[in-house]
Every structure is written in C-alpha cells, then in structure tokens.
Amino acid sequence: MFRILFYLVVVFVLGLGFAWLAERPGDLAITFSGYRYEVSLMVAAVGIVAIVAAVMILWWLIRSIWTSPYTVARYFRVRRRDRGYQALSTGMIAAGAGDGGLARRMSQQAAKLISADQEPLIHLLDAQAALLDGDRQAARDKFTAMLDDPEMRLLGLRGLYLEAERLGERDAARHYAERAVEAAPQLEWAVNAALEGKTGEGEWDGALKLLDSRKATGKDERESVASRRAVLLTAKAMDVLDADPQTARTAALEAHKLRPDFVPAAVTAARALFRQNELRKGSKVLETVWKKEPHPEIADVYIHARPGDSTHDRLARAKKLQSLKRNNVESALIVGRAALDAGEFQLARESCEAAARLGPRESVYLLMADIEEAETGDQGRVRQWLAKALRAPRDPAWVADGYVAERWAPISPVTGKLDAFEWRMPMERLAQVVESEEDFSPAPSIPAPKEEPETAEAETVVIEAETVKPEPAAKPQEPEKPSEPSPETAKTPPQPPEPPANPAPVNGQKAAPEEAEEPVKPPIPDDPGVEPDDKDASTSGRFRLF
C-alpha cells in the first residue's frame, strides 16, 4: 500500500512539473561539434525523462542477467525448503496422532530436504517417532543430544524428565527439573517437580528459595505462589516447633498473613505463641480464623491454651468460641464436649441436640452416646446412639487423593503433591441415612400391632405360654389349651388374659409341652434395650403386652 501511494505521488509530481513547463514557453539551445540544437523546454524535459528511464531499464536488464544463476539456484533452494517444512509439518501431525510409521518417514524426508542444524525440530520429530516405535533408548539419545544446543536444551531436559518419571527414577527426574529451573525459572513443570523433590525430603528452606526464584506475572499466578509459600512456611514451622519455637512462630505468622483462613498455619502459630506465654496474641489468631473457618483443631487448641485450667474454665472458653460463631455445628459440638467434661450433662445434651438440628453426623451421635453413658449408664440407649452413628454421614477430615488423615500434612502421601489436603467429607460412604431431630426425644413405648394379624397372634401365643403352668406330678391333669384368636380379635389391641387357676411357672420350670413347641423369637441384634420406664414396671405377673 505504501509503495502504491509513493508511485502515485511521483506521477503526480511529474504531472505538475510538465504542466508548469507547458504554461511557460521557452527554448533550449545546445551547441555540440559545430552544430546548434534548439528545442523547446517541454521537448527537452521529455527527452531527459526518457533517457533516465532507458538507463534504468538497461541497468535492470544487465543486473538480471548477471544474477540469474543465483536467482535460479535460490528458487530451487526455496522450493526444496518448502517441501522439507511440509514434510516436517506432516510428521509432527502424525506424531501427535500416534502414527509412528508416517512420522518416521516424514522425519527422514525432512532430514533430506532440510539440514538438522538449520531446523532443530527435526530432532524432536525423530525423538517422537522413536517413542512411538517403542525405541526408548534412541529417544533418550536424541534428548541428550539436544542438551548441546542452547535452543533445544529445555526441550531435551523436558524429554529426559518425562522418561525418568516413566522409569520411576525420581532422583534423575529431580536432577533434570532442577537444571531446567536454573535455566528458566518460569517453567511450571520444572518448578513443581523440583518442589516435590525438596518437600519430599523435608528441605523447606530450599523449597522456599526455589519458589522465590520464580517470577510471577499474572494475578492468579501470584496468588498461587503466595498460597504455596504459606504451605511451605507452615510445614517448616511444624517441623521446628519443638526445637525452635521462635523460628516456628515467625514462619507460622508469615504463613497466617499470606493465607488468613489457613487453619494449619493459625494452629501452629497459636501453639508457638502459647509456648512463649503469649496467651492473648495466640487466642486472637485463633479467634480470627474461627470467625472465617470453624474447625475442631482450632477449638481444641483454643480450649486447652492453658494446661492448668479446670474443666469449667475450658467450658467458659468454649462458650466464648460459640459466641463468635453462632448457629454452627462445630460451635455446638465443642460446647457439648466441654460441658460433658465439666459434668454439665443438661448443657451437653442441649448442645448436642442443637448440633444435630444444624447438621447430623457421626460425631454428634457418638457424643450423645458418651453423654448417655456418663449421665444414666443406660447401655441400651448407648447402643442405640452408636447404631445411629454407624448410619450417619461421616465427619469432615483431611483428605488428599483419596487418603484420609487425622492431621494435616504439607504433601500428599500418595502422589507427593504440595498442598493436596483438603478439609471435606470423605467419599467412602455414600447416601448415608440421616436421623431426624425426633431421635433426641425420649423413646416412646412400643405400640401394639394393629394391622398384622399374624404378628398379634404370635405375640398372644407367647404370652399365654408364659402364663400357663402344668399340674403338679401328684395330681396329673391335662392343662387347658388356649384357643386361637380370631382375625377380628387380632385387629384390636389384645387385652391381658385372665390369670388361670394355677399360677405362672416359676423361673427354672418348664412350660407345658404343647406351648413349649411354639418358638420364641430372639431379640434383634442391635436391640437398644427397653426404656427405663419399662424396667421399673411391676413384674409380679411376669408378662407385659406394652
């Protein structure tokens, strides 16, 4: 476009010049070799322009003839290069599609048409073709040869790293990753691999230096670097907490500043502060995180901040945590546990019921079983709560790659990934049965069957069998056999039968043979037992319908 405009400007200027000469007539006289030539200015200008054009054309012709051999050779060289790049492109596409044979043929064709020194991608195509053909050693040799070329060094390190990972040689893979980080700290794969190696060996300082050497560009990348730095600082603080509380405190507080809602950092910082008798500052850190992320570890460290506190002092601190986060399951549970330790059974039961309304789960029913055993000692009710705990949803836990851990860890024990643990509900059990809040009301007495005649008949037979006693041996007499109840009678709640002339059999005696043949149904294995009201009922008749 610029050339076209330039040519138009030149033509326009020439036109203006000729128009200017046409408006101003004049003659031009030239004397040469005794001859005098007189022409007008217009003719002279046209002649000059024609001479200049002729010279330029003649120069172009001479130059074209002179450079024609080079032009012809360049044409064939460019044509050959284009064919080579076409073969290289086809080979790369075939390698990406998994066609090893075509990739190998195109690699050989590209190597014939293009020099490998001029196009390094030919080495990559050779390595990919060798991998597709299953020749791993040839591929490693190609990647190793790439290390001598500055342009291909990172590509060679990447290929050698992947091969070492495939063979399970973690040390070699870590070596290649560290070399890649030294050359290009912005490589994500190299930084992650080097970090996994250092964190796996507990080299937290080296991992922090490696992470600091990376130059974060975008906002998301800076947040990711800050998050991983907080994890590394927390791991370092946990590692040196017993040996050097001051270093642990500095690292944990920095991690808490980078991630204010990170529970392990806050817990570690609080423990370090408590060891230095800074109770108020440590409690402030825990309270700040508790408002954002209620967690049982925070509550446990907060309540046991002072080892010499009594159970009622711990209950008071639990109530303070509850005041910071109302209507929360963790708040209710921590108050319930503290109240149980303090012997406040009524408060513990109320807190447990509130937790069940907010989110019924396994720990709620287990705590209710502890309360029941400590307050009443009713083993039937305890078994009932334990049975409900088995069917309830599981409590949240630290989970990483399907592995459930009791405590947080900086890396996954399965894959070695940094910051892999999450606080969530494990997924081993699905579709849990959630008990309603009606389960926390006193258990009602067992109603009499109304719509099942067979069940009513069976129960009536058992009761009458217990009330019949055979005649003594001195006076043999056939006992009166009870009549079978009709379906109309079974539909209504059966009334206690009139006691027979003979009293009920005493413990240790056998009933009549006719009645003894009727089997008595065994109790359910998970039978929670009878209610306390049933235990205190009168046993003079040795039978009860309800």
Side-chain angles (χ1 to χ4, degrees), residues 169-504:
E169 299 177 358
R170 304 302 298 271
D171 295 337
R174 175 186 174 185
H175 169 71
Y176 294 130
E178 290 178 353
R179 289 186 59 182
V181 169
E182 293 176 0
Q186 72 278 4
L187 295 178
E188 183 71 19
W189 67 269
V191 173
N192 292 338
L195 278 178
E196 288 182 5
K198 291 186 178 297
T199 54
E201 297 180 359
E203 299 180 7
W204 310 117
D205 292 331
L208 288 170
K209 292 180 180 179
L210 181 63
L211 192 62
D212 294 338
S213 64
R214 183 181 178 186
K215 299 178 181 179
T217 55
K219 179 181 178 181
D220 295 339
E221 192 173 358
R222 287 194 298 269
E223 292 178 354
S224 176
V225 171
S227 177
R228 287 192 285 183
R229 180 175 175 80
V231 173
L232 293 175
L233 289 171
T234 304
K236 177 182 177 181
M238 294 173 62
D239 195 17
V240 301
L241 179 61
D242 297 332
D244 191 354
Q246 180 60 34
T247 304
R249 167 188 173 177
T250 304
L253 288 178
E254 184 180 354
H256 176 62
K257 184 178 180 181
L258 291 173
R259 289 180 63 177
D261 57 344
F262 192 40
V263 174
V267 170
T268 306
R271 286 175 176 170
L273 290 170
F274 291 158
R275 292 196 177 190
Q276 296 181 345
N277 296 325
E278 297 187 21
L279 182 63
R280 179 174 298 180
K281 188 173 183 180
S283 300
K284 188 66 176 178
V285 172
L286 294 177
E287 291 173 0
T288 303
V289 182
W290 179 265
K291 294 177 183 178
K292 299 178 181 179
E293 189 69 24
H295 197 278
E297 292 184 10
I298 296 177
D300 183 67
V301 175
Y302 185 84
I303 291 176
H304 297 86
R306 289 191 297 260
D309 285 351
S310 64
T311 55
H312 287 82
D313 292 336
R314 293 199 293 267
L315 177 59
R317 294 180 66 84
K319 290 180 179 179
K320 184 177 180 181
L321 275 183
Q322 187 181 29
S323 65
L324 297 177
K325 195 71 174 180
R326 297 285 186 180
N327 299 324
N328 185 265
V329 180
E330 296 296 341
S331 299
L333 281 177
I334 196 62
V335 172
R337 293 191 183 97
L340 175 61
D341 295 338
E344 301 287 344
F345 300 116
Q346 182 63 26
L347 177 60
R349 192 179 293 272
E350 293 175 357
S351 300
C352 194
E353 293 175 358
R357 288 191 297 268
L358 294 171
R361 62 193 192 194
E362 185 178 4
S363 60
V364 176
Y365 296 106
L366 292 177
L367 178 58
M368 200 65 190
D370 293 339
I371 296 173
E372 194 72 41
E373 184 175 11
E375 183 180 8
T376 64
D378 188 350
Q379 295 300 319
R381 295 288 292 175
V382 171
R383 290 196 301 271
Q384 182 182 8
W385 294 121
L386 294 177
K388 291 175 181 177
L390 292 175
R391 301 190 301 271
R394 298 187 64 180
D395 292 271
W398 292 110
V399 182
D401 300 321
Y403 177 81
V404 182
E406 297 181 358
R407 296 293 181 182
W408 176 85
I411 60 176
S412 170
V414 180
T415 60
K417 181 181 178 182
L418 183 66
D419 194 17
F421 276 95
E422 299 178 355
W423 181 254
R424 59 181 177 85
M425 183 180 297
M427 302 302 294
E428 285 83 359
R429 297 191 300 180
L430 302 177
Q432 300 292 338
V433 179
V434 179
E435 305 291 344
S436 63
E437 59 184 74
E438 296 179 357
D439 297 329
F440 290 86
S441 59
S445 58
I446 302 175
K450 295 181 179 181
E451 299 180 0
E452 299 182 1
E454 295 80 6
T455 305
E457 180 180 358
E459 292 181 357
T460 306
V461 171
V462 173
I463 292 170
E464 292 180 357
E466 294 179 355
T467 59
V468 176
K469 178 182 178 182
E471 292 291 333
K475 298 178 180 181
Q477 185 177 356
E478 186 70 17
E480 184 178 357
K481 185 176 181 180
S483 60
E484 297 292 334
S486 62
E488 292 79 3
T489 307
K491 291 183 181 179
T492 60
Q495 299 296 330
E498 293 294 332
N502 297 324

Side-chain angles (χ1 to χ4, degrees), residues 21-44:
L21 290 176
E23 293 177 356
R24 291 168 177 75
D27 296 331
L28 177 64
I30 300 176
T31 303
F32 182 74
S33 298
Y35 293 95
R36 182 183 177 85
Y37 301 96
E38 292 185 359
V39 293
S40 63
L41 291 177
M42 178 63 68
V43 175

Side-chain angles (χ1 to χ4, degrees), residues 56-76:
M56 293 178 63
I57 293 173
L58 181 62
W59 172 254
W60 177 77
L61 289 174
I62 295 174
R63 184 172 177 272
S64 298
I65 295 173
W66 182 264
T67 59
S68 59
Y70 173 77
T71 303
V72 174
R74 185 179 62 177
Y75 168 77
F76 286 105

